[in-house]
Amino acid sequence: MRVLVLGGGGREHAIGWRLKKDFPQGEFFFTPGNGGTERIGVNIVSNPENAYEIASICAELKIDFIFVGPENPLAGGVVDILEKEGRICFGPNQKASKLEASKAFAKKVMERAKIPTADFKIYTKEDFVEGKISPEKLKTPIVIKASGLCAGKGVFVCKEKKDIQNAFERIFVKREFGDEGNEIVIEDFLEGREISYFALCSRNEFVSLGFARDYKRLLDGDAGPNTGGMGSYTPVEYADEKLKKDIETKIVKPLMNELEKEGIKYTGILYVGLMIDDKGNPYVLEFNVRLGDPETQVLMPCIDGNFFDAAINAAEGKLVNIPIKNSALCVVISAKGYPEKYQKGMQIKIEGEEEGENFVIFHAGTRRENGKLISSGGRILGVVGLGKNKDEARKSAYEKIKDINIPDSHYRRDIGL
Ligand code: AMP
Ligand code: GLY
């Protein structure tokens, strides 16, 4: 069987690593892949957002099964196109992907399904032009979100009046997000602890994949700008059986029922970003229709079962339970300057193995050139420590980091503390 993993980040290296472990006889391809996936299979140059290009690559390589990593191809309908051509795809179709591609759509679905989330209002750029909504009319704290796909940069948590001004300026005046900012969601500010919950879904049925915690800010102590994620760990100490049950009965089940009612079939990963209030009640911050990055880097090593079987069965309409064991903690090494302007082309030196009993290194922005490993992106490597518990995993990750040398790079020292 020939398998294609779509994407080229740390998440896709971790997915490919796991699929290969669980299905060693498979032939693996990645597009575009990175310096790590090249060791598992063949990297194919492409634009993963061009669904027709992906379809023609799949035809050429006679791909049987496609696992889609990132959200953009999903929102672009890559699964719809590939399935029409008779290929088995793990990932939601275009209609279902709107849960991530349109925050306004997701909020309306949550409202209809009575799913706990922050109170909200939806406005359009016309409302702004006509003065139906303006910064003066809003009170802080408040959260303003561009509705479309903005690579995590379209959310403004406004603590002061000037933050509201800035959000409107960037979304509607400078149009930094283009048409993805034509609609906005304005919602109440929620306080509490954040957590990510993952489910594996097949035609609106689901099984849990567990919880992970993500560190979005660049610097220690949750300071600095938001990034794609600077670290993660699983399991999460404040996620108990009761919270899991609450999330499943109050959020995931009602969501799947609502989608079913609306004629939308959901297959793939559902990632729920949540705020847990001081009484332990979960509220949805966002839905994502894919695995998280760097959450995947900790989930994949902790799966105590066959993830390849689970994914391909889900794609074909059958759910398989996925037990999780032990603990993993990921520290991301990024280029200095990331998430703003950063340098590429630094040489990466890793002393010793990239995988051992208690660690595994996943590549993100890397490529190989004349036998050398070179940085090619903002987030370069994810160093994952493994252990029986978080402390062991943390120790292993920071121990392995000592073996890595990348000039002008940065990582957080406080992941898991
Ligand atoms: P989102 O992409 O919608 O999950 O938002 C990105 C980040 O903004 C979240 O991880 C939270 O840290 C923060 N955030 C989003 N919505 C809210 C809210 N209603 N209240 C407080 N913080 C929020
Ligand atoms: N780590 C956050 C995300 O993947 O959206």
Side-chain angles (χ1 to χ4, degrees):
M1 184 181 270
R2 293 158 83 89
V3 181
L4 177 77
V5 177
L6 192 52
R11 167 181 50 208
E12 287 74 27
H13 185 193
I15 291 168
W17 173 86
R18 184 71 217 193
L19 294 178
K20 175 81 182 174
K21 250 190 206 318
D22 293 344
F23 187 58
Q25 64 273 40
E27 273 185 87
F28 286 82
F29 298 86
F30 296 83
T31 190
N34 61 34
T37 64
E38 190 176 291
R39 294 274 163 96
I40 300 170
V42 180
N43 285 352
I44 312 283
V45 180
S46 80
N47 171 8
E49 287 176 29
N50 183 339
Y52 291 98
E53 190 177 330
I54 301 306
S56 89
I57 288 174
C58 287
E60 207 169 300
L61 297 173
K62 299 193 171 62
I63 299 292
D64 305 290
F65 176 51
I66 300 104
F67 193 117
V68 187
E71 62 275 20
N72 289 83
L74 293 168
V78 75
V79 168
D80 307 60
I81 291 168
L82 293 172
E83 283 187 342
K84 229 180 249 160
E85 296 189 352
R87 299 188 202 285
I88 309 167
C89 273
F90 184 71
N93 60 27
Q94 190 166 30
K95 268 193 191 159
S97 300
K98 236 180 135 182
L99 277 181
E100 177 167 358
S102 166
K103 285 182 186 288
F105 171 79
K107 279 291 201 181
K108 287 188 256 181
V109 171
M110 284 189 258
E111 190 170 51
R112 292 196 285 274
K114 300 189 173 61
I115 290 171
T117 186
D119 285 342
F120 69 99
K121 287 213 163 67
I122 295 166
Y123 294 98
T124 62
K125 78 170 190 284
E126 287 74 29
D127 292 333
F128 175 73
V129 173
E130 291 162 16
K132 285 189 192 143
I133 175 76
S134 71
E136 294 73 42
K137 290 182 185 158
L138 299 171
K139 281 201 187 77
T140 55
I142 202 157
V143 183
I144 301 176
K145 302 179 175 184
S147 179
L149 289 180
C150 305
K153 297 188 184 89
V155 174
F156 299 85
V157 178
C158 306
K159 297 266 171 81
E160 294 172 46
K161 210 80 196 170
K162 70 171 185 357
D163 302 329
I164 301 180
Q165 226 57 57
N166 174 52
F168 276 79
E169 172 88 11
R170 290 180 60 187
I171 299 172
F172 289 132
V173 183
K174 292 190 184 149
R175 294 192 49 79
E176 276 181 33
F177 311 104
D179 288 347
E180 303 294 322
N182 284 353
E183 232 180 347
I184 60 168
V185 174
I186 299 187
E187 64 182 48
D188 289 352
F189 174 76
L190 299 175
E191 275 177 291
R193 290 208 272 196
E194 278 188 57
I195 199 164
S196 309
Y197 166 92
F198 295 88
L200 184 137
C201 311
S202 176
R203 301 183 190 167
N204 301 345
E205 301 288 329
F206 67 95
V207 292
S208 166
L209 255 181
F211 290 91
R213 185 170 161 204
D214 174 26
Y215 289 75
K216 287 203 171 73
R217 299 298 195 101
L218 180 68
L219 305 173
D220 285 8
D222 285 331
N226 263 326
T227 70
M230 294 300 296
S232 58
Y233 67 84
T234 190
V236 183
E237 60 279 26
Y238 49 89
D240 54 14
E241 269 307 308
K242 181 185 176 298
L243 180 67
K244 178 168 170 280
K245 197 161 165 252
D246 273 358
I247 291 169
E248 290 176 352
T249 56
K250 294 179 187 163
I251 295 167
V252 186
K253 189 78 189 134
L255 172 68
M256 291 299 153
N257 289 346
E258 184 59 32
L259 294 178
E260 181 73 29
K261 218 160 77 188
E262 298 182 18
I264 299 172
K265 289 280 182 218
Y266 199 102
T267 293
I269 298 290
L270 176 75
Y271 158 170
V272 192
L274 298 145
M275 190 71 88
I276 313 300
D277 74 7
D278 55 4
K279 294 186 193 78
N281 299 310
Y283 292 84
V284 176
L285 293 177
E286 64 168 344
F287 289 125
N288 293 317
V289 299
R290 39 129 189 126
L291 281 161
D293 187 340
E295 292 96 322
T296 309
Q297 288 86 316
V298 292
L299 290 173
M300 290 297 125
C302 290
I303 288 173
D304 187 22
N306 192 310
F307 186 63
F308 180 87
D309 279 353
I312 197 162
N313 272 300
E316 294 190 301
K318 208 172 116 214
L319 270 180
V320 178
N321 250 321
I322 304 176
I324 301 286
K325 73 163 185 203
N326 296 336
S327 181
L329 182 141
C330 173
V331 182
V332 170
I333 306 181
S334 62
K336 242 184 212 152
Y338 170 82
E340 306 296 330
K341 266 208 178 125
Y342 57 84
Q343 212 187 313
K344 293 181 191 175
M346 286 94 78
Q347 190 176 347
I348 302 161
K349 288 194 179 142
I350 304 172
E351 193 108 6
E353 299 298 320
E354 294 190 23
E355 184 177 347
E357 207 182 310
N358 61 359
F359 68 88
V360 48
I361 298 174
F362 291 121
H363 292 225
T366 76
R367 66 187 163 83
R368 281 173 216 277
E369 202 180 276
N370 304 323
K372 285 184 183 148
L373 191 62
I374 305 286
S375 79
S376 61
R379 290 188 290 176
I380 302 170
L381 296 175
V383 183
V384 179
L386 311 169
K388 290 227 156 20
N389 53 49
K390 186 173 80 177
D391 290 342
E392 277 186 27
R394 179 169 202 283
K395 215 168 136 224
S396 310
Y398 280 102
E399 195 56 39
K400 187 62 199 172
I401 274 203
K402 292 184 191 153
D403 292 346
I404 300 171
N405 187 295
I406 310 173
D408 292 321
S409 62
H410 156 84
Y411 63 87
R412 278 181 65 157
R413 264 81 174 163
D414 66 341
I415 305 301
L417 286 186

